[in-house]
Amino acid sequence: MAMLSNKSWFKLHGWCSLPVWLIFCFVCLTGTIAVLSHELTWLTNPAARASNPQDKPALPISQLVAAVQQKFPTADVSGVMTFEPYLVHAITFTDHDKPYAIAYVNQYSGEIQEINEGLTFIGFMRSLHGWLLFPWQQSYSVGYYLVSAMAFVMLGALITGLMVYKKFWRSFTQPKVRLTANKATVLADLHRLAGVWSIWFLMLMSATGFWYLAQAIMWHNEIDIEPHAPIVAINEVPTDSQSPKLSLADAMDIATKRFPQLQPSFIMLPEHQRGMYQISGGGDHIFYDQYAYALSINPWTGIIASEKSPESLTAVQTLMHIADPLHYGTLGGLWTKFLWFFFGVILTGMSITGFMMWATRLKKAMREDAASAFA
């Protein structure tokens, strides 16, 4: 390493990003937007806002499901998704004229504010950033691999950049941007300053990116990180066509008694006679995602067939459940989201200024070559 010249490190720094510059910049941009996708949805879609002027407590989720079933008597409700308190609950269902629909239900008033039969902005941005909307073939997507591989680009650019920028730590105490200098100097100053102040962010994005890549490889090779949800034993299913004994309200009560700290985020209702209530949520662990707690509850007996919590996770499962909060900045609520968004803008800007610096140097080199050719 020490034998490489500064010029060689600079060339390596360029090769870490320039060949895939457009993809890297696009991934940074879409990820930055995805961080605030919930807030942007609230801002742009009034029907997604969970207004609560009378400061009422949230209604039971079972009551919200009942409201959807009352409005659409022939509907088959499949699940419930909950978000931040300022966003409505999303209840997914199918009907004879709706292959797939999402009811936006205000959890404070019980009002159905919108029926969405298409792709949501949140889902679109997460998909665009996560796998570039490439199709999934069995258990893998080429786009997911492309996005995850950006971890190599980011880490390589970070290491080579620090090798090029000698005594980079001075930018913490003596930041320097020579705004009155020429374009190339200003771009270089901004690029270096942003890079130094973003070291922690680059390392964090690289680490989570490497995890997503490892996760993709495990999915592709059908290696289960977590066991599949169980189904009801066939001998426990009644022979007649009676409805399950356990209602959604009962299942929620069982779940909250088992994990009092549970904050449900995704609930799947039984899809068939052998299906179970699948209840997932977060808790009081800020570094874990909204699926760190999960229960499978038998609708015929009320028995918890399987469960998980942060205390019972394996090392690999723990990595899976802490990656998203660290990658998207959800661990501290709005404050960390805006912090991640800010550094996402900086990272996107760095990819652009880096390309502009390269283009400026290329033009200069081409002019010098042309001048020497006619000398």
Side-chain angles (χ1 to χ4, degrees):
M1 278 191 173
M3 296 178 65
L4 288 177
S5 65
N6 201 60
K7 186 176 181 180
S8 298
W9 279 115
F10 185 82
K11 287 182 178 180
L12 284 172
H13 182 68
W15 277 106
C16 280
S17 52
L18 290 177
V20 289
W21 172 81
L22 191 59
I23 297 176
F24 180 71
C25 184
F26 186 76
V27 169
C28 292
L29 178 61
T30 53
T32 301
I33 297 172
V35 166
L36 291 183
S37 58
H38 290 195
E39 289 66 34
L40 291 172
T41 296
W42 181 93
L43 186 66
T44 58
N45 185 3
R49 300 172 189 170
S51 57
N52 186 21
Q54 299 179 359
D55 199 24
K56 295 180 179 179
L59 296 171
I61 291 176
S62 57
Q63 189 172 331
L64 305 181
V65 171
V68 174
Q69 291 175 326
Q70 183 178 0
K71 185 171 183 178
F72 301 96
T74 59
D76 181 16
V77 176
S78 57
V80 181
M81 292 177 286
T82 70
F83 306 99
E84 289 83 355
Y86 46 83
L87 288 177
V88 296
H89 287 7
I91 299 178
T92 57
F93 67 96
T94 58
D95 208 345
H96 60 87
D97 60 342
K98 295 177 177 60
Y100 178 79
I102 305 174
Y104 292 177
V105 187
N106 189 315
Q107 62 268 33
Y108 306 109
S109 66
E111 177 188 357
I112 299 175
Q113 298 182 174
E114 182 177 284
I115 301 297
N116 186 329
E117 297 184 48
L119 185 64
T120 66
F121 177 73
I122 296 171
F124 173 75
M125 287 310 306
R126 292 298 176 100
S127 301
L128 186 61
H129 174 64
W131 53 89
L132 305 175
L133 296 182
F134 275 64
W136 283 83
Q137 303 174 10
Q138 296 178 349
S139 56
Y140 78 96
S141 168
V142 173
Y144 196 96
Y145 276 117
L146 280 173
V147 173
S148 302
M150 292 301 104
F152 287 103
V153 175
M154 201 174 304
L155 185 61
L158 172 61
I159 294 173
T160 54
L162 293 179
M163 296 302 297
V164 170
Y165 189 17
K166 306 300 182 183
K167 299 181 180 179
F168 63 87
W169 52 88
R170 290 182 178 176
S171 289
F172 291 116
T173 57
Q174 301 172 1
K176 180 176 63 174
V177 180
R178 292 163 287 184
L179 296 176
T180 57
N182 58 46
K183 178 182 175 182
T185 301
V186 173
L187 286 175
D189 285 349
L190 288 173
H191 190 78
R192 285 193 292 262
L193 183 64
V196 171
W197 280 86
S198 301
I199 289 175
W200 70 273
F201 191 72
L202 288 162
M203 293 177 65
L204 186 59
M205 293 302 105
S206 299
T208 51
F210 281 123
W211 161 251
Y212 291 135
L213 181 60
Q215 184 174 251
I217 294 171
M218 284 187 277
W219 285 344
H220 197 169
N221 290 277
E222 299 182 353
I223 299 174
D224 292 329
I225 302 175
E226 291 184 333
H228 294 283
I231 58 176
V232 177
I234 195 168
N235 63 322
E236 294 180 353
V237 179
T239 55
D240 54 14
S241 58
Q242 70 183 56
S243 300
K245 298 178 181 179
L246 202 68
S247 66
L248 175 57
D250 295 331
M252 294 300 300
D253 186 54
I254 292 172
T256 52
K257 284 181 178 177
R258 178 63 188 89
F259 296 121
Q261 68 274 41
L262 175 67
Q263 300 170 10
S265 60
F266 180 72
I267 301 161
M268 182 180 292
L269 279 65
E271 295 180 321
H272 44 74
Q273 292 288 84
R274 298 186 65 186
M276 295 195 182
Y277 287 106
Q278 308 292 338
I279 302 173
S280 303
D284 50 7
H285 298 271
I286 64 171
F287 288 104
Y288 288 85
D289 63 14
Q290 69 271 35
Y291 306 109
Y293 291 87
L295 303 97
S296 297
I297 301 175
N298 189 318
W300 303 102
T301 64
I303 294 174
I304 299 175
S306 68
E307 64 177 58
K308 72 175 181 184
S309 65
E311 291 74 21
S312 63
L313 298 176
T314 65
V316 175
Q317 290 169 351
T318 298
L319 287 174
M320 184 175 72
H321 287 289
I322 66 174
D324 275 6
L326 293 174
H327 192 75
Y328 290 103
T330 57
L331 65 167
L334 276 175
W335 290 106
T336 50
K337 279 188 180 184
F338 279 113
L339 181 64
W340 261 241
F341 177 82
F342 175 74
F343 278 95
V345 171
I346 290 178
L347 189 55
T348 305
M350 284 174 59
S351 67
I352 295 173
T353 55
F355 181 79
M356 292 173 67
M357 289 165 59
W358 173 80
T360 301
R361 287 174 176 267
L362 180 62
K363 288 179 181 179
K364 182 180 178 182
M366 291 174 67
R367 285 197 299 266
E368 292 175 350
D369 290 344
S372 62
F374 289 100

